[in-house]
Amino acid sequence: MNRTRSVGLTLALFAAAGLAFGSLSAVDVTSDRGVDVGVAGANEDPYLGFEAVNRSAGGDGDAVVTVAYENRFGVPLDGIEIRVTRGAGEEPIATPEIGGPISAGGSATVDVTVDCGKSGGDALTFRADAAGPGVRASTTHTVEDACDAVG
């Protein structure tokens, strides 16, 4: 029995030492990551710019509203999805899409035709969603009196 007891104590000692000191495996992991952030210009904040460029008369009492979106991010945008609604009831007018990439600092225009004979107000609301590498942007702008060009 002494031999069994001695083997048991030895095993217990090894088990206690294993619990106290671990399994001697690697426990320290390090990593190194670089981060690069850029914007369109030194004095400019990154954003999706919007400008109502032109209102002109179209055919049959329609008006054509041209707007421009400018990429003020430091990376290209994959494209811009746009939803245009009219008046307080938000009647859908158009869903133009700028499908191609827009370079950093670049811009693209969209033409929207408005039936000025319909009621519902002349104000157009442009909602745009854009995405690029590490960038998502949404913006909403209103163009008042879209049918002024028709007269």
Side-chain angles (χ1 to χ4, degrees):
M1 240 210 229
N2 271 342
R3 186 179 171 131
T4 307
R5 184 173 184 184
S6 149
V7 171
L9 284 174
T10 304
L11 289 175
L13 180 64
F14 280 121
L19 289 175
F21 298 109
S23 62
L24 300 175
S25 64
V27 294
D28 188 21
V29 177
T30 61
S31 68
D32 186 17
R33 292 185 183 178
V35 176
D36 185 19
V37 178
V39 295
N43 296 323
E44 300 172 355
D45 292 327
Y47 67 92
L48 181 60
F50 175 89
E51 180 183 3
V53 178
N54 190 24
R55 293 181 192 104
S56 59
D60 299 326
D62 294 342
V64 178
V65 177
T66 303
V67 299
Y69 287 94
E70 182 181 4
N71 177 4
R72 296 279 302 274
F73 293 96
V75 296
L77 295 175
D78 297 330
I80 302 174
E81 294 179 12
I82 304 163
R83 291 169 310 285
V84 184
T85 57
R86 178 181 184 170
E90 296 192 356
E91 170 194 357
I93 297 292
T95 55
E97 184 175 322
I98 301 171
I102 302 171
S103 63
S107 64
T109 59
V110 172
D111 293 327
V112 175
T113 302
V114 182
D115 182 357
C116 292
K118 285 187 162 187
S119 61
D122 290 335
L124 300 181
T125 302
F126 289 78
R127 290 178 178 82
D129 296 311
V135 172
R136 284 202 164 302
S138 295
T139 184
T140 302
H141 294 278
T142 302
V143 174
E144 298 290 339
D145 303 320
C147 289
D148 276 356
V150 177

